[in-house]
Amino acid sequence: DGGITQSPKYLFRKEGQNVTLSCEQNLNHDAMYWYRQDPGQGLRLIYYSQIVNDFQKGDIAEGYSVSREKKESFPLTVTSAQKNPTAFYLCASSMDSGGGYEQYFGPGTRLTVT
Amino acid sequence: GENVEQHPSTLSVQEGDSAVIKCTYSDSASNYFPWYKQELGKGPQLIIDIRSNVGEKKDQRIAVTLNKTAKHFSLHITETQPEDSAVYFCAASPPYSGTYKYIFGTGTRLKVLA
């Protein structure tokens, strides 16, 4: 089955700790994205990558970092500099970042920081 | 930049009735408008999309209309069923610096009452 996997589904961390969220896709998509979802708000773009070894900041990149060493993988690190890290994080991919391609979403990771 | 407003934030309908969700966008350069359905604890899934060269698109009980002049687009669900209960997000995709980003609305929670 082709798709996007995110792990873990639930993640708990103490304040001051960095945490890395996993995202893997086997759709052979070039573009990958990370979104943050908070109650009552739409999905907000954190980072996106159009191709391996390249990524750009989205609208709310402060306190986050990413890497894209492989086409299939786009991990997100939530650093201790992120002031309000508790949220639902969604990874997505699309065939290409241009031209209005459908984005396929993973099941999400709910991060709770206390 | 692009801004997408979505209304209503919650919508309750009786099973069998129709539901309409409306979105307005600000950037006239936007040319791709997807609608996503998100069930509880899951990632969003594309249900229908429309491009700016089309005014209406249907897929069984679901339809989307686009008014480019007024810069708004709407999702129509007919003969609603309990399994239609979910959160629905609209999005607009404007080209920024050669990369098409999605700007999401804030979501509509649809409840279909049996």
Side-chain angles (χ1 to χ4, degrees):
Chain A
D1 274 345
I4 300 179
T5 57
Q6 292 185 245
S7 60
K9 190 169 179 64
Y10 299 96
L11 193 51
F12 298 89
R13 280 294 182 270
K14 296 288 187 184
E15 254 185 55
Q17 293 179 334
N18 291 355
V19 60
T20 298
L21 282 60
S22 166
C23 177
E24 304 275 333
Q25 55 98 359
N26 61 4
L27 300 167
N28 200 32
H29 285 170
D30 284 323
M32 297 187 74
Y33 313 81
W34 274 106
Y35 291 92
R36 171 181 171 136
Q37 187 174 30
D38 294 287
Q41 297 196 41
L43 283 68
R44 293 184 291 168
L45 184 64
I46 304 172
Y47 267 97
Y48 63 99
S49 169
Q50 296 173 266
I51 200 165
V52 174
N53 292 324
D54 182 63
F55 48 84
Q56 286 82 39
K57 293 181 179 180
D59 301 316
I60 55 165
E62 186 176 349
Y64 300 97
S65 66
V66 294
S67 63
R68 186 89 186 274
E69 297 176 2
K70 298 187 299 181
K71 187 175 186 177
E72 306 80 31
S73 179
F74 191 40
L76 173 75
T77 297
V78 184
T79 75
S80 56
Q82 168 49 233
K83 294 180 181 177
N84 295 298
T86 295
F88 190 51
Y89 290 89
L90 287 160
C91 179
S93 71
S94 65
M95 191 183 310
D96 193 280
S97 62
Y101 288 95
E102 175 184 354
Q103 291 188 13
Y104 294 78
F105 285 85
T109 291
R110 187 167 297 280
L111 173 64
T112 302
V113 177
T114 57
Chain B
E2 175 64 283
N3 181 53
V4 176
E5 294 189 1
Q6 182 172 347
H7 298 282
S9 57
T10 60
L11 179 60
S12 294
V13 299
Q14 290 295 133
E15 183 177 357
D17 287 351
S18 295
V20 181
I21 303 170
K22 298 181 180 179
C23 288
T24 59
Y25 61 99
S26 59
D27 191 338
S28 56
S30 291
N31 58 5
Y32 176 64
F33 307 91
W35 284 91
Y36 283 83
K37 175 184 180 182
Q38 185 177 25
E39 297 178 348
L40 193 62
K42 297 183 179 180
Q45 282 195 306
L46 181 76
I47 55 172
I48 196 166
D49 56 13
I50 193 167
R51 298 185 187 273
S52 58
N53 58 346
V54 176
E56 183 176 3
K57 184 176 178 180
K58 286 185 180 178
D59 184 2
Q60 299 182 332
R61 297 186 297 108
I62 295 173
V64 57
T65 58
L66 171 64
N67 183 326
K68 287 170 53 182
T69 304
K71 289 190 279 189
H72 66 70
F73 57 110
S74 299
L75 177 71
H76 305 253
I77 305 174
T78 60
E79 300 171 18
T80 53
Q81 301 166 4
E83 52 265 36
D84 293 329
S85 295
V87 178
Y88 292 81
F89 290 97
C90 64
S93 181
Y96 290 148
S97 301
T99 298
Y100 287 70
K101 293 165 57 177
Y102 283 19
I103 308 300
F104 284 89
T106 51
T108 296
R109 183 173 299 279
L110 174 64
K111 296 180 185 177
V112 179
L113 308 171

